[in-house]
Amino acid sequence: MSEAEIAAPASFSRLDIGVMVVLVSMAVARLIGLIAVLDADSDIGAVGIGFGVAVLIFQTGGTVACALACLARRRLEALALGSLVSAGLAVDLFALAIWLEIDSEAYGKVAASAFVWALFGLIILGLGLAVQPRDALARWLYLGAIGASLLAALLATVLVIDAGGGGRRIVASASPVPIEGFANENVLRPLAAVIVVLSALWFGALAASRAEKT
Protein backbone atom coordinates (compact mmCIF):
# COMPACT_ATOMS: atom_id res chain seq x y z
CA MET A 1 0.00 0.00 0.00
CA SER A 2 1.43 3.38 -1.02
CA GLU A 3 1.86 6.37 1.30
CA ALA A 4 -0.86 8.24 -0.60
CA GLU A 5 -3.33 5.43 0.00
CA ILE A 6 -2.42 5.35 3.70
CA ALA A 7 -2.77 9.12 4.06
CA ALA A 8 -6.05 9.34 2.13
CA PRO A 9 -9.04 9.19 4.51
CA ALA A 10 -11.66 6.53 3.91
CA SER A 11 -14.71 8.12 2.33
CA PHE A 12 -18.22 6.78 1.90
CA SER A 13 -19.96 7.01 -1.43
CA ARG A 14 -23.65 7.82 -1.67
CA LEU A 15 -24.26 4.14 -2.41
CA ASP A 16 -22.46 3.19 0.82
CA ILE A 17 -24.64 5.62 2.75
CA GLY A 18 -27.77 4.22 1.12
CA VAL A 19 -26.78 0.65 1.97
CA MET A 20 -26.20 1.63 5.60
CA VAL A 21 -29.60 3.35 5.76
CA VAL A 22 -31.29 0.20 4.45
CA LEU A 23 -29.38 -2.14 6.77
CA VAL A 24 -30.14 -0.04 9.86
CA SER A 25 -33.82 0.52 9.07
CA MET A 26 -34.43 -3.13 8.19
CA ALA A 27 -32.56 -4.29 11.29
CA VAL A 28 -34.80 -2.09 13.44
CA ALA A 29 -37.93 -3.36 11.66
CA ARG A 30 -36.77 -6.96 12.08
CA LEU A 31 -36.09 -6.48 15.77
CA ILE A 32 -39.42 -4.77 16.41
CA GLY A 33 -41.25 -7.42 14.38
CA LEU A 34 -39.66 -10.30 16.27
CA ILE A 35 -40.39 -8.72 19.64
CA ALA A 36 -43.99 -8.05 18.59
CA VAL A 37 -44.48 -11.64 17.38
CA LEU A 38 -42.99 -13.15 20.54
CA ASP A 39 -44.96 -10.74 22.72
CA ALA A 40 -48.31 -11.46 21.04
CA ASP A 41 -51.16 -12.67 23.27
CA SER A 42 -52.03 -15.62 21.01
CA ASP A 43 -50.64 -17.67 18.14
CA ILE A 44 -53.20 -16.18 15.74
CA GLY A 45 -52.20 -12.70 16.86
CA ALA A 46 -48.53 -13.54 16.34
CA VAL A 47 -49.22 -14.67 12.76
CA GLY A 48 -51.18 -11.50 12.04
CA ILE A 49 -48.43 -9.28 13.41
CA GLY A 50 -45.76 -11.20 11.52
CA PHE A 51 -47.60 -10.89 8.22
CA GLY A 52 -48.36 -7.23 8.92
CA VAL A 53 -44.71 -6.34 9.41
CA ALA A 54 -43.68 -8.42 6.38
CA VAL A 55 -46.27 -6.64 4.20
CA LEU A 56 -44.92 -3.27 5.35
CA ILE A 57 -41.38 -4.28 4.39
CA PHE A 58 -42.46 -5.53 0.95
CA GLN A 59 -44.59 -2.42 0.39
CA THR A 60 -41.45 -0.29 0.58
CA GLY A 61 -39.16 -2.91 -0.97
CA GLY A 62 -39.67 -1.52 -4.48
CA THR A 63 -38.50 1.90 -3.34
CA VAL A 64 -35.45 0.39 -1.66
CA ALA A 65 -34.54 -1.66 -4.75
CA CYS A 66 -34.92 1.26 -7.18
CA ALA A 67 -33.08 3.67 -4.88
CA LEU A 68 -30.08 1.37 -4.52
CA ALA A 69 -30.04 0.78 -8.28
CA CYS A 70 -30.08 4.54 -8.93
CA LEU A 71 -27.25 5.08 -6.46
CA ALA A 72 -25.20 2.34 -8.13
CA ARG A 73 -25.76 4.03 -11.51
CA ARG A 74 -25.26 7.55 -10.11
CA ARG A 75 -28.74 8.70 -11.11
CA LEU A 76 -31.02 10.93 -9.03
CA GLU A 77 -28.77 10.29 -6.04
CA ALA A 78 -30.20 12.94 -3.70
CA LEU A 79 -33.76 11.74 -4.35
CA ALA A 80 -32.67 8.12 -3.96
CA LEU A 81 -31.17 8.81 -0.53
CA GLY A 82 -34.25 10.75 0.54
CA SER A 83 -36.51 7.92 -0.62
CA LEU A 84 -34.47 5.37 1.33
CA VAL A 85 -34.81 7.45 4.49
CA SER A 86 -38.57 7.84 3.92
CA ALA A 87 -39.03 4.12 3.26
CA GLY A 88 -37.02 3.10 6.31
CA LEU A 89 -38.82 5.59 8.52
CA ALA A 90 -42.24 4.41 7.29
CA VAL A 91 -41.44 0.74 7.91
CA ASP A 92 -40.02 1.32 11.39
CA LEU A 93 -42.81 3.66 12.51
CA PHE A 94 -45.60 1.41 11.24
CA ALA A 95 -43.96 -1.69 12.74
CA LEU A 96 -43.66 0.06 16.09
CA ALA A 97 -47.30 1.16 15.86
CA ILE A 98 -48.42 -2.43 15.20
CA TRP A 99 -46.40 -3.75 18.13
CA LEU A 100 -47.36 -1.10 20.70
CA GLU A 101 -50.83 -0.41 19.25
CA ILE A 102 -50.05 3.29 19.07
CA ASP A 103 -53.19 5.38 18.56
CA SER A 104 -51.67 8.84 18.16
CA GLU A 105 -52.82 11.21 15.44
CA ALA A 106 -49.49 13.02 15.21
CA TYR A 107 -47.57 9.73 15.11
CA GLY A 108 -49.83 8.40 12.37
CA LYS A 109 -49.39 11.54 10.29
CA VAL A 110 -45.60 11.29 10.41
CA ALA A 111 -45.67 7.61 9.45
CA ALA A 112 -48.18 8.13 6.64
CA SER A 113 -46.24 11.13 5.27
CA ALA A 114 -43.06 9.05 5.18
CA PHE A 115 -44.90 6.33 3.28
CA VAL A 116 -46.29 8.86 0.79
CA TRP A 117 -42.83 10.16 -0.09
CA ALA A 118 -41.46 6.62 -0.32
CA LEU A 119 -44.27 5.73 -2.73
CA PHE A 120 -43.78 8.69 -5.06
CA GLY A 121 -40.03 8.24 -4.74
CA LEU A 122 -40.55 4.77 -6.19
CA ILE A 123 -42.44 6.26 -9.15
CA ILE A 124 -39.67 8.76 -9.90
CA LEU A 125 -36.78 6.37 -9.36
CA GLY A 126 -38.44 3.66 -11.44
CA LEU A 127 -38.75 6.16 -14.29
CA GLY A 128 -35.13 7.21 -13.82
CA LEU A 129 -34.03 3.62 -14.28
CA ALA A 130 -36.32 2.92 -17.24
CA VAL A 131 -35.80 6.11 -19.24
CA GLN A 132 -32.75 7.44 -21.02
CA PRO A 133 -33.90 10.69 -22.72
CA ARG A 134 -32.27 11.01 -26.13
CA ASP A 135 -34.07 14.07 -27.45
CA ALA A 136 -35.94 17.16 -26.33
CA LEU A 137 -39.37 15.47 -26.32
CA ALA A 138 -38.25 12.60 -24.10
CA ARG A 139 -36.43 15.04 -21.80
CA TRP A 140 -39.45 17.29 -21.35
CA LEU A 141 -41.76 14.35 -20.72
CA TYR A 142 -39.25 12.94 -18.23
CA LEU A 143 -38.90 16.23 -16.35
CA GLY A 144 -42.67 16.74 -16.46
CA ALA A 145 -43.24 13.31 -14.89
CA ILE A 146 -40.76 14.09 -12.11
CA GLY A 147 -42.40 17.45 -11.46
CA ALA A 148 -45.88 15.90 -11.42
CA SER A 149 -44.68 13.22 -8.99
CA LEU A 150 -43.26 15.81 -6.61
CA LEU A 151 -46.46 17.88 -6.81
CA ALA A 152 -48.59 14.78 -6.16
CA ALA A 153 -46.44 13.85 -3.17
CA LEU A 154 -46.83 17.38 -1.81
CA LEU A 155 -50.61 17.35 -2.23
CA ALA A 156 -50.87 13.89 -0.65
CA THR A 157 -48.78 15.09 2.27
CA VAL A 158 -51.11 18.06 2.74
CA LEU A 159 -54.04 15.63 2.86
CA VAL A 160 -52.30 13.51 5.48
CA ILE A 161 -51.31 16.49 7.63
CA ASP A 162 -54.83 17.96 7.50
CA ALA A 163 -56.51 14.61 8.20
CA GLY A 164 -58.02 13.86 11.55
CA GLY A 165 -60.10 17.01 11.96
CA GLY A 166 -63.72 17.00 12.99
CA GLY A 167 -63.54 13.86 15.06
CA ARG A 168 -61.85 11.84 12.34
CA ARG A 169 -58.64 10.21 13.42
CA ILE A 170 -55.71 8.43 11.89
CA VAL A 171 -55.55 4.77 12.85
CA ALA A 172 -52.21 3.00 13.30
CA SER A 173 -52.36 -0.16 11.20
CA ALA A 174 -50.60 -2.02 8.41
CA SER A 175 -52.56 -0.10 5.79
CA PRO A 176 -50.39 1.95 3.40
CA VAL A 177 -52.52 5.04 4.08
CA PRO A 178 -54.11 4.42 7.50
CA ILE A 179 -56.63 7.24 7.37
CA GLU A 180 -60.35 7.02 7.98
CA GLY A 181 -61.19 10.38 6.49
CA PHE A 182 -59.77 13.66 5.20
CA ALA A 183 -60.41 17.03 6.76
CA ASN A 184 -59.39 19.01 3.68
CA GLU A 185 -61.21 17.30 0.83
CA ASN A 186 -60.64 20.24 -1.52
CA VAL A 187 -57.19 18.81 -2.27
CA LEU A 188 -58.58 15.47 -3.49
CA ARG A 189 -59.63 16.71 -6.93
CA PRO A 190 -56.29 18.43 -7.73
CA LEU A 191 -54.43 15.33 -6.51
CA ALA A 192 -56.50 13.09 -8.77
CA ALA A 193 -55.85 15.40 -11.73
CA VAL A 194 -52.11 15.43 -11.08
CA ILE A 195 -52.02 11.63 -10.82
CA VAL A 196 -53.78 11.31 -14.19
CA VAL A 197 -51.27 13.69 -15.80
CA LEU A 198 -48.40 11.89 -14.05
CA SER A 199 -49.40 8.49 -15.40
CA ALA A 200 -49.61 9.82 -18.96
CA LEU A 201 -46.28 11.63 -18.69
CA TRP A 202 -44.60 8.57 -17.13
CA PHE A 203 -45.44 6.22 -19.98
CA GLY A 204 -45.03 8.97 -22.57
CA ALA A 205 -41.48 9.55 -21.40
CA LEU A 206 -40.83 5.81 -21.48
CA ALA A 207 -42.14 5.49 -25.05
CA ALA A 208 -40.29 8.59 -26.30
CA SER A 209 -37.00 7.36 -24.85
CA ARG A 210 -37.38 4.06 -26.69
CA ALA A 211 -38.00 5.61 -30.11
CA GLU A 212 -35.32 4.70 -32.64
CA LYS A 213 -33.46 7.73 -33.96
CA THR A 214 -32.02 7.84 -37.45
Side-chain angles (χ1 to χ4, degrees):
M1 183 178 294
S2 64
E3 294 182 0
E5 290 175 335
I6 296 176
S11 60
F12 291 98
S13 67
R14 292 183 176 88
L15 178 58
D16 295 329
I17 297 173
V19 169
M20 287 190 294
V21 169
V22 174
L23 291 177
V24 171
S25 61
M26 292 305 167
V28 172
R30 180 174 64 247
L31 178 61
I32 293 173
L34 286 175
I35 294 175
V37 168
L38 297 175
D39 193 47
D41 296 332
S42 64
D43 293 338
I44 297 298
V47 172
I49 291 174
F51 273 102
V53 175
V55 166
L56 286 172
I57 293 175
F58 280 111
Q59 282 176 342
T60 56
T63 302
V64 171
C66 288
L68 291 177
C70 285
L71 290 174
R73 292 166 174 78
R74 298 183 181 276
R75 297 181 185 176
L76 301 172
E77 292 178 284
L79 180 60
L81 287 174
S83 298
L84 285 177
V85 173
S86 296
L89 185 63
V91 168
D92 292 341
L93 289 178
F94 276 127
L96 192 62
I98 292 174
W99 172 34
L100 300 178
E101 298 181 357
I102 299 175
D103 190 13
S104 168
E105 181 175 307
Y107 185 97
K109 288 180 179 181
V110 173
S113 297
F115 187 90
V116 164
W117 283 97
L119 174 62
F120 284 99
L122 169 62
I123 295 174
I124 298 174
L125 297 174
L127 183 64
L129 291 173
V131 172
Q132 293 181 353
R134 297 185 177 92
D135 57 15
L137 175 61
R139 254 191 318 273
W140 281 112
L141 290 172
Y142 174 69
L143 294 175
I146 292 178
S149 298
L150 294 175
L151 178 57
L154 182 61
L155 291 175
T157 303
V158 170
L159 279 176
V160 170
I161 292 175
D162 287 345
R168 297 171 178 176
R169 60 189 179 90
I170 291 183
V171 181
S173 69
S175 172
V177 185
I179 298 173
E180 289 184 345
F182 298 103
N184 188 0
E185 296 182 353
N186 294 329
V187 184
L188 288 174
R189 193 183 300 272
L191 176 60
V194 173
I195 290 176
V196 170
V197 174
L198 165 61
S199 60
L201 289 173
W202 202 101
F203 287 101
L206 180 61
S209 68
R210 292 293 185 269
E212 293 292 337
K213 304 299 179 184
T214 58

